[in-house]
Amino acid sequence: MFLLLPFDSLIVNLLGISLTVLFTLLLVFIIVPAIFGVSFGIRKLYMKTLLKIFAWATLRMERGAKEKNHQLYKPYTNGIIAKDPTSLEEEIKEIRRSGSSKALDNTPEFELSDIFYFCRKGMETIMDDEVTKRFSAEELESWNLLSRTNYNFQYISLRLTVLWGLGVLIRYCFLLPLRIALAFTGISLLVVGTTVVGYLPNGRFKEFLSKHVHLMCYRICVRALTAIITYHDRENRPRNGGICVANHTSPIDVIILASDGYYAMVGQVHGGLMGVIQRAMVKACPHVWFERSEVKDRHLVAKRLTEHVQDKSKLPILIFPEGTCINNTSVMMFKKGSFEIGATVYPVAIKYDPQFGDAFWNSSKYGMVTYLLRMMTSWAIVCSVWYLPPMTRETDEDAVQFANRVKSAIARQGGLVDLL
């Protein structure tokens, strides 16, 4: 029989007590509030504290750069501090100053090497058009302590470096394990809860349980991202028999909206973990899943959606008409399919605050696992959601005009650029 030494027994007891205390704190401050949809204000206090730290760090950087007499941000590079607009002449002078030991007064107005500068500016103008730049991360005007990889950022102070190192420890050693545990809890409860509810006979009781299981699990997942969400005009929330359309920045848009409302999801059938979640969810709620071979059949998709919205007892459908993720500075062209059905449309505008973490998913640069890791190691996800008044298609409007009218309303309310 294996016997524990007194010291080993003490370690085991301390570990057990620590896990018990941790689970109790999770239950009392996170899971139970998620079930009842209440908040103790801890996340908002956390956000205000971070804002003060960011402001101090930015001021410290600016003061340190001024004391050492070098720029915090050089032109023609991507930095973490926003640059003031400069003319072509000033940029050329900066290039000559950094690449030559001659005095600027003695240099000619034009040098042969200037050709390379103009060629580069021309290429940048072609590549960095209004559409292309919407698929890259939004630049910040202040440092959020998430990166020290800026090309021009110089060592400024020991305190700033220690603060950044402390932030890394907090995000990776405390927040990341906590968030993973919450995400696992939320997903597990969603699969188990919807599966159990799915065996109940159809009726009001099943619908009641299904709604609250979905809301509870999505709210736990929201807390797994330390998401701080402000909802506006809740009286305009989507209702049964309608279509909810929103601008699309990230896969977590679904969680953001579903933690405050009960929706029928639309999407393609997947395999793996996502497939398990989809099969469990559809047992408890009439979601609209399409097989891979059905997605390209526009008429079949339109028919399924029309049948759903014509039944006023069914949940509103949640759709992102852009069809891809945009960096939350603009709204791209809406696909007309969901506007041809003839249902009432409930527009929703979502605007993220990139100071605490960039929610934009650049799918060409990051895979889903990498993206989720970046989300869970950011400080928080802060966003505002506006529910706009319902809109219907006018008699003299076609589907494209209706889609553009809805898109313009979302862009205007969210403070986004409306790209045609």
Side-chain angles (χ1 to χ4, degrees), residues 32-259:
V32 172
I35 294 173
F36 295 100
V38 298
S39 175
F40 294 128
I42 297 174
R43 285 174 294 168
K44 289 189 176 181
L45 178 62
Y46 169 71
M47 181 182 70
K48 291 179 181 178
T49 304
L50 285 177
L51 283 173
K52 291 181 180 180
I53 294 174
F54 295 162
W56 176 85
T58 302
L59 289 174
R60 187 67 188 87
M61 289 167 62
E62 292 173 350
R63 186 167 70 248
K66 186 180 293 185
E67 290 173 355
K68 299 190 177 182
N69 199 27
H70 51 61
Q71 288 180 302
L72 186 62
Y73 185 94
K74 294 183 181 180
Y76 59 84
T77 55
N78 292 323
I80 50 178
I81 304 298
K83 60 177 181 288
D84 296 325
T86 55
S87 64
L88 295 179
E89 292 83 357
E90 291 173 343
E91 290 193 18
I92 291 175
K93 287 180 181 179
E94 177 64 26
I95 293 173
R96 291 179 180 178
R97 184 184 295 112
S98 60
S100 174
S101 58
K102 300 178 181 179
L104 288 177
D105 296 337
N106 299 327
T107 57
E109 292 185 3
F110 175 80
E111 291 184 353
L112 190 61
S113 60
D114 293 343
I115 295 174
F116 296 103
Y117 169 77
F118 289 115
C119 288
R120 193 195 72 201
K121 293 297 288 185
M123 293 296 293
E124 287 179 352
T125 302
I126 294 171
M127 297 177 66
D128 193 30
D129 61 277
E130 284 297 315
V131 175
T132 305
K133 68 173 64 174
R134 308 302 171 182
F135 294 94
S136 59
E138 183 180 359
E139 290 188 5
L140 298 180
E141 295 186 359
S142 61
W143 187 32
N144 59 5
L145 302 177
L146 288 179
S147 175
R148 285 289 291 272
T149 58
N150 182 54
Y151 177 76
N152 293 298
F153 185 74
Q154 305 292 328
Y155 167 82
I156 290 178
S157 78
L158 179 62
R159 283 184 294 176
L160 202 58
T161 304
V162 170
L163 181 63
W164 173 81
L166 183 62
V168 171
L169 288 176
I170 292 174
R171 289 187 292 111
Y172 282 88
C173 299
F174 175 71
L175 292 179
L176 179 59
L178 175 63
R179 289 168 175 173
I180 290 175
L182 286 174
F184 178 78
T185 302
I187 294 172
S188 300
L189 288 176
L190 180 64
V191 172
V192 174
T194 52
T195 300
V196 172
V197 172
Y199 288 109
L200 298 175
N202 293 332
R204 290 186 177 181
F205 182 64
K206 178 179 180 179
E207 183 180 347
F208 175 84
L209 283 182
S210 176
K211 175 181 178 179
H212 286 83
V213 165
H214 279 83
L215 288 175
M216 175 189 70
C217 296
Y218 284 125
R219 285 167 181 166
I220 293 174
C221 290
V222 158
R223 283 160 171 77
L225 297 170
T226 316
I228 303 165
I229 313 166
T230 303
Y231 297 99
H232 305 271
D233 305 320
R234 280 179 161 169
E235 66 274 9
N236 295 325
R237 280 187 291 190
R239 297 179 182 178
N240 290 1
I243 298 177
C244 174
V245 298
N247 57 304
H248 198 25
T249 303
S250 159
I252 68 173
D253 292 340
V254 175
I255 302 174
I256 298 295
L257 294 178
S259 64

Side-chain angles (χ1 to χ4, degrees), residues 129-405:
D129 61 277
E130 284 297 315
V131 175
T132 305
K133 68 173 64 174
R134 308 302 171 182
F135 294 94
S136 59
E138 183 180 359
E139 290 188 5
L140 298 180
E141 295 186 359
S142 61
W143 187 32
N144 59 5
L145 302 177
L146 288 179
S147 175
R148 285 289 291 272
T149 58
N150 182 54
Y151 177 76
N152 293 298
F153 185 74
Q154 305 292 328
Y155 167 82
I156 290 178
S157 78
L158 179 62
R159 283 184 294 176
L160 202 58
T161 304
V162 170
L163 181 63
W164 173 81
L166 183 62
V168 171
L169 288 176
I170 292 174
R171 289 187 292 111
Y172 282 88
C173 299
F174 175 71
L175 292 179
L176 179 59
L178 175 63
R179 289 168 175 173
I180 290 175
L182 286 174
F184 178 78
T185 302
I187 294 172
S188 300
L189 288 176
L190 180 64
V191 172
V192 174
T194 52
T195 300
V196 172
V197 172
Y199 288 109
L200 298 175
N202 293 332
R204 290 186 177 181
F205 182 64
K206 178 179 180 179
E207 183 180 347
F208 175 84
L209 283 182
S210 176
K211 175 181 178 179
H212 286 83
V213 165
H214 279 83
L215 288 175
M216 175 189 70
C217 296
Y218 284 125
R219 285 167 181 166
I220 293 174
C221 290
V222 158
R223 283 160 171 77
L225 297 170
T226 316
I228 303 165
I229 313 166
T230 303
Y231 297 99
H232 305 271
D233 305 320
R234 280 179 161 169
E235 66 274 9
N236 295 325
R237 280 187 291 190
R239 297 179 182 178
N240 290 1
I243 298 177
C244 174
V245 298
N247 57 304
H248 198 25
T249 303
S250 159
I252 68 173
D253 292 340
V254 175
I255 302 174
I256 298 295
L257 294 178
S259 64
D260 189 53
Y262 190 31
Y263 299 95
M265 309 296 176
V266 177
Q268 180 180 307
V269 174
H270 293 274
L273 176 61
M274 184 61 70
V276 173
I277 297 173
Q278 285 181 319
R279 288 191 294 272
M281 289 172 62
V282 80
K283 292 178 181 178
C285 177
H287 298 288
V288 185
W289 306 130
F290 295 97
E291 296 291 341
R292 185 181 297 273
S293 59
E294 297 176 333
V295 174
K296 296 182 180 179
D297 190 340
R298 292 184 65 251
H299 296 290
L300 177 62
V301 172
K303 180 183 177 183
R304 292 272 303 276
L305 295 181
T306 303
E307 290 174 351
H308 184 99
V309 298
Q310 285 178 346
D311 187 347
K312 300 304 179 182
S313 65
K314 289 188 176 180
L315 301 176
I317 296 175
L318 177 58
I319 294 179
F320 301 100
E322 288 169 299
T324 187
C325 294
I326 311 299
N327 71 356
N328 208 227
T329 61
S330 60
V331 184
M332 297 283 285
M333 182 179 69
F334 280 4
K335 295 180 180 179
K336 66 177 183 178
S338 55
F339 299 91
E340 293 176 324
I341 299 172
T344 301
V345 171
Y346 295 85
V348 176
I350 306 173
K351 179 61 178 176
Y352 291 92
D353 187 342
Q355 287 186 93
F356 305 91
D358 186 12
F360 169 57
W361 181 34
N362 187 345
S363 56
S364 63
K365 188 175 181 181
Y366 302 110
M368 179 58 76
V369 175
T370 305
Y371 168 76
L372 291 176
L373 180 63
R374 288 170 59 86
M375 288 296 94
M376 289 191 171
T377 54
S378 63
W379 291 112
I381 299 298
V382 179
C383 72
S384 294
V385 176
W386 289 271
Y387 296 108
L388 278 67
M391 301 173 69
T392 55
R393 183 173 165 181
E394 303 292 344
T395 53
D396 58 343
E397 271 185 328
D398 59 22
V400 175
Q401 291 172 330
F402 184 31
N404 287 334
R405 184 159 62 92

